[in-house]
Amino acid sequence: MEDITDYKMHVKKAIDWLWNALPNIVFAILILVIGIYLIRLINKLVRKFFEKKDYDLALETFLQSFINIALKIILFVVVISQLGVQTTSLAAVLGAAGLAIGLALQGSLSNFAGGVLILLFKPFKVGDFISAQGVDGTVKEISIFTTKINTFGNQLAIVPNGQLSNNNIVNYNAESTRRDKIDIGIGYGSNIKKAKDIMLEICNEYEHILKEPVPEVYVGALADSSVNLTLRFWANNEVFWPAHFHVMEEIKNRFDAEGIEIPFPQRVVHESKA
């Protein structure tokens, strides 16, 4: 008889608890349904927002996923709180776990934040030629944590985004044109005006050198063994290096033809007599 009495007591307590908790359960289910609908609506609005913006695909995918997960975590906390679960201890546990993970992944989080900044503000993009962190090359890939750069020798340099976002970056493709600067030394006995005319003539004849701004040549320095002439001209990015190499070669050929000396270091050895 006692077993039956205990059983009835437990059943009564369970029914009473369920009856008392029923409003909270109903509200929790209602919050869950409405929350899922709102999350889907927000995700849809976020997708439309990114469709109108020219952000990197990797950044768009990551942010959409991050927003979706964050909203679901918030919804989960609200639902279990409605059910009467104490969220204070849960928040403390999650906070401690987050702190431990943050300390363990401090470098990775810095690179992650740098990657988000690079993808968001776009100091450079894939295909740009940049100079950063002692590496010169063309950007091959931008990910959340690292940036891959192809160097002149076709080596692949992988640079952490944290360092890229916190240091100087020179983007040679940010503007459509570039100015070249070539220093050429001629002998003190050579005709300066003639040398300058030849250099300007080379620039005016070459189709890939821009005529505006006008190329210019001036005496840059009176060195120990040469008069240093400085040539400056502008060219479009895509033909900058061909223009540079063409001018260098033509200067040497035409100076030789016109008898303009380009000095080079010489060492005179005197034989000592015993």
Side-chain angles (χ1 to χ4, degrees):
M1 292 292 294
E2 292 182 0
D3 292 339
I4 296 175
T5 302
D6 291 341
Y7 173 75
K8 290 181 178 180
M9 186 180 300
H10 288 307
V11 171
K12 185 177 182 302
K13 288 182 178 180
I15 293 174
D16 291 340
W17 177 87
L18 182 62
W19 183 256
N20 292 329
L22 186 61
N24 289 336
I25 295 175
V26 172
F27 278 118
I29 294 174
L30 186 62
I31 291 172
L32 179 63
V33 173
I34 296 175
I36 291 175
Y37 171 78
L38 290 176
I39 289 174
R40 290 177 178 174
L41 179 61
I42 293 172
N43 287 333
K44 185 177 180 180
L45 293 175
V46 170
R47 282 194 298 270
K48 288 184 177 180
F49 171 79
F50 281 121
E51 287 175 358
K52 296 178 181 179
K53 301 294 182 179
D54 188 25
Y55 294 135
D56 189 271
L57 181 60
L59 177 64
E60 294 181 11
T61 303
F62 171 79
L63 289 180
Q64 289 181 42
S65 176
F66 178 80
I67 293 171
N68 182 48
I69 293 173
L71 290 175
K72 287 182 178 178
I73 291 175
I74 294 172
L75 177 61
F76 171 75
V77 172
V78 172
V79 169
I80 64 173
S81 176
Q82 181 63 38
L83 291 174
V85 178
Q86 294 295 328
T87 57
T88 305
S89 57
L90 178 62
V93 171
L94 291 176
L99 178 61
I101 294 173
L103 291 174
L105 300 177
Q106 186 175 3
S108 297
L109 291 176
S110 173
N111 292 330
F112 162 75
V116 172
L117 291 175
I118 290 172
L119 293 171
L120 191 61
F121 294 106
K122 295 186 175 181
F124 55 83
K125 61 183 183 297
V126 174
D128 284 351
F129 187 90
I130 67 171
S131 178
Q133 296 298 299
V135 178
D136 298 337
T138 303
V139 178
K140 180 180 181 181
E141 179 183 325
I142 306 172
S143 65
I144 291 296
F145 293 99
T146 61
T147 294
K148 296 180 180 179
I149 301 174
N150 269 111
T151 66
F152 269 126
N154 200 34
Q155 291 92 12
L156 182 63
I158 301 176
V159 183
N161 286 334
Q163 298 178 14
L164 281 177
S165 63
N166 290 310
N167 290 280
N168 295 333
I169 301 171
V170 179
N171 187 343
Y172 293 96
N173 291 107
E175 303 294 338
S176 59
T177 59
R178 285 176 62 183
R179 186 175 70 174
D180 198 1
K181 177 177 176 289
I182 298 176
D183 294 319
I184 299 292
I186 64 173
Y188 272 93
S190 299
N191 189 318
I192 295 177
K193 183 179 184 307
K194 187 174 183 180
K196 293 172 67 175
D197 290 342
I198 290 173
M199 295 168 76
L200 291 175
E201 185 179 315
I202 293 171
C203 293
N204 292 327
E205 290 176 355
Y206 192 56
E207 59 180 354
H208 293 312
I209 292 179
L210 299 178
K211 305 306 179 284
E212 289 290 339
V214 178
E216 58 182 1
V217 184
Y218 54 87
V219 177
L222 300 176
D224 293 337
S225 58
S226 65
V227 177
N228 294 337
L229 302 180
T230 298
L231 168 65
R232 289 184 175 180
F233 63 84
W234 292 79
N236 292 324
N237 272 322
E238 59 271 16
V239 293
F240 176 82
W241 287 113
H244 174 86
F245 296 131
H246 172 83
V247 170
M248 292 288 289
E249 183 175 344
E250 283 296 303
I251 288 176
K252 176 63 170 67
N253 291 336
R254 297 199 189 186
F255 276 13
D256 288 347
E258 296 294 334
I260 297 175
E261 177 191 6
I262 300 178
F264 56 90
Q266 301 183 49
R267 177 176 298 177
V268 180
V269 179
H270 297 278
E271 183 180 354
S272 61
K273 296 181 179 180

